Amino acid sequence: MRRRYLIDGQTHDVVVTRSVHGGFSILRDGRRIDVHAEALPDDRQRLHIDGQAHDVWVACSEKSVFVHSNLSGAIEIETVDAAGGAGQARVGASDTLVAPMPGTIIAVHVCEGDMVNAGQSLLVIESMKLETTLVAPRDARIQAVHFGVGATFGLKAILLTLADA
């Protein structure tokens, strides 16, 4: 999928594809970068980038993803594309809302059957003492809410399932 990202104020056009081994391949300026992530027990992620391991903390807000490492400090990554425009971080696949990190549900703003608009607040999660509002990636109907307030979930857990409006 072709995407445009704003990383620390610089625009980057990339093509992101899922690799056969469960990671991602990123094509940028004719260069392919292979990335694979694994969850660590202390809420960090280990990113394997072109074979080199980098331990990082990842936090998501409504508009951005923040990646922090002890080597490079914090980097802000904002998704900018025709589908979402500036400030619309995608939170999952088109029919699911996927947990960007392990955490706890703080608030649920929708019920099964509700109609929602792109950008509408669906859930508030807490992870690493950071509250994050997850928003609808598109206009849809809520097909299922998989976790209630107070429930804990793991990385990449399916929090909500969407259906066509």
Side-chain angles (χ1 to χ4, degrees):
M1 129 177 47
R2 184 171 300 279
R3 302 301 295 254
R4 176 169 284 169
Y5 294 99
L6 188 62
I7 302 173
D8 278 349
Q10 294 185 353
T11 301
H12 299 273
D13 291 316
V14 300
V15 176
V16 180
T17 55
R18 196 172 281 279
S19 70
V20 242
H21 305 293
F24 294 91
S25 288
I26 301 169
L27 184 63
R28 180 176 159 247
D29 297 330
R31 179 173 175 254
R32 189 178 111 196
I33 303 165
D34 292 316
V35 180
H36 177 76
E38 66 179 283
L40 298 176
D42 60 357
D43 289 332
R44 291 181 301 156
Q45 298 290 312
R46 178 163 291 144
L47 298 180
H48 298 274
I49 302 171
D50 285 339
Q52 292 187 355
H54 304 273
D55 292 350
V56 299
W57 289 268
V58 178
C60 300
S61 73
E62 186 175 333
K63 297 182 178 187
S64 300
V65 174
F66 298 88
V67 179
H68 181 273
S69 78
N70 289 332
L71 296 175
S72 63
I75 297 171
E76 179 180 9
I77 303 169
E78 182 178 354
T79 303
V80 180
D81 64 7
Q88 295 298 311
R90 294 201 51 113
V91 291
S94 61
D95 290 334
T96 57
L97 187 75
V98 178
M101 63 191 91
T104 304
I105 302 289
I106 300 299
V108 178
H109 299 297
V110 293
C111 296
E112 290 180 18
D114 286 357
M115 298 300 292
V116 296
N117 297 315
Q120 181 178 334
S121 174
L122 303 176
L123 298 169
V124 178
I125 64 172
E126 188 224 327
S127 182
M128 300 181 295
K129 299 183 181 176
L130 173 72
E131 287 190 11
T132 303
T133 300
L134 301 180
V135 299
R138 62 181 178 88
D139 292 351
R141 181 180 53 79
I142 303 298
Q143 183 175 342
V145 178
H146 300 289
F147 293 89
V149 173
T152 59
F153 53 85
L155 174 70
K156 297 184 182 176
I158 297 176
L159 304 174
L160 287 172
T161 302
L162 304 173
D164 289 336

